[in-house]
Amino acid sequence: DGGTRTGRGRGKLVGRCGKKRVTGAPTMIHTELFADLGIPADYGRDPRRPAYADATELEDVGPNIVGQPQRLAPATAHAWHRMQQTAAFSGVELLLVSGFRSIGQQTGLFRQKLAAGHDITAILRVNAAPGFSEHHSGRAIDIATPGTRPLTVEFERSKAFAWLTANAAAFGFTMPYGRGNTFGFEFEPWHWSQLALPPQSEAAREA
């Protein structure tokens, strides 16, 4: 999925897009919607998971691997294109699976899985609750590469993952959901975001 990243303070929904921060009261998320989906009312407290509002400024970045149009926050869109092009120069093909995903889309994803008979506990191990996904910010991406099944741990064994591990930080991206991550999500080697990394290079600042 691409879970969540920071925003302190209970009762505050924080969304970041570029330099913008959007705050609001997440009453519906923490009450009626969670109850409707069977999500624990204290979700996000232990383990600590920050909440996000939907990004308000997004750019088209082309279709994903199944032809669906994708959008990202402007700075992240620029960084993604630069990173994709740089990887290509090294013979590595990076493909976009998911970019921005709204709270409404995340809610729909949960409803689909519940309707298919999935247990809410199992769903929450791989998908952040609506309002808590990094994808809401427009600054998180799920990446695939030819030769491996998308959104599986197979990606860890790919040339693309090795390249990202060595180079993604230069474009401002980190992999937040490693093995044993503090957010309680399963290992997601395909999920990379710009929400945790302080500028560490000129490339990251320019992105």
Side-chain angles (χ1 to χ4, degrees):
D1 168 72
T4 65
R5 198 97 348 234
T6 199
R8 300 192 182 278
R10 251 183 329 200
K12 180 177 285 188
L13 190 65
V14 179
R16 293 182 294 177
C17 182
K19 296 181 180 179
K20 292 187 177 182
R21 291 173 64 85
V22 182
T23 61
T27 305
M28 179 62 181
I29 291 175
H30 288 309
T31 54
E32 290 95 339
L33 180 58
F34 275 21
D36 185 39
L37 296 174
I39 298 172
D42 62 352
Y43 181 90
R45 298 177 190 173
D46 185 20
R48 185 71 175 173
R49 292 169 179 157
Y52 289 101
D54 286 343
T56 58
E57 187 178 349
L58 296 162
E59 289 187 2
D60 292 333
V61 291
N64 65 4
I65 58 175
V66 294
Q68 297 175 334
Q70 299 296 303
R71 296 180 295 165
L72 291 169
T76 303
H78 177 62
W80 160 245
H81 285 310
R82 290 180 60 246
M83 185 168 72
Q84 189 180 37
Q85 292 166 3
T86 303
F89 291 143
S90 298
V92 174
E93 188 173 1
L94 302 180
L95 304 173
L96 187 61
V97 179
S98 298
F100 169 74
R101 188 185 308 136
S102 70
I103 292 173
Q105 289 172 318
Q106 193 80 356
T107 300
L109 178 63
F110 269 69
R111 294 196 190 282
Q112 289 174 7
K113 290 193 171 187
L114 289 168
H118 295 277
D119 177 73
I120 189 63
T121 301
I123 296 172
L124 289 171
R125 283 198 294 268
V126 296
N127 293 110
F132 287 81
S133 173
E134 287 193 336
H135 287 283
H136 301 334
S137 72
R139 299 178 65 198
I141 53 177
D142 291 337
I143 300 173
T145 195
T148 63
R149 290 179 298 164
L151 308 181
T152 69
V153 294
E154 288 180 19
F155 186 72
E156 184 188 19
R157 300 190 293 273
S158 69
K159 184 178 178 181
F161 180 79
W163 190 92
L164 287 165
T165 301
N167 297 285
F171 301 90
F173 289 96
T174 59
M175 183 187 69
Y177 306 131
R179 288 189 174 85
N181 65 83
T182 60
F183 301 99
F185 289 111
E186 293 186 357
F187 177 46
E188 294 190 355
W190 60 84
H191 179 88
W192 296 75
S193 80
Q194 291 194 311
L195 292 168
L197 186 72
Q200 294 179 350
S201 68
E202 189 63 30
R205 286 192 291 272
E206 290 177 357

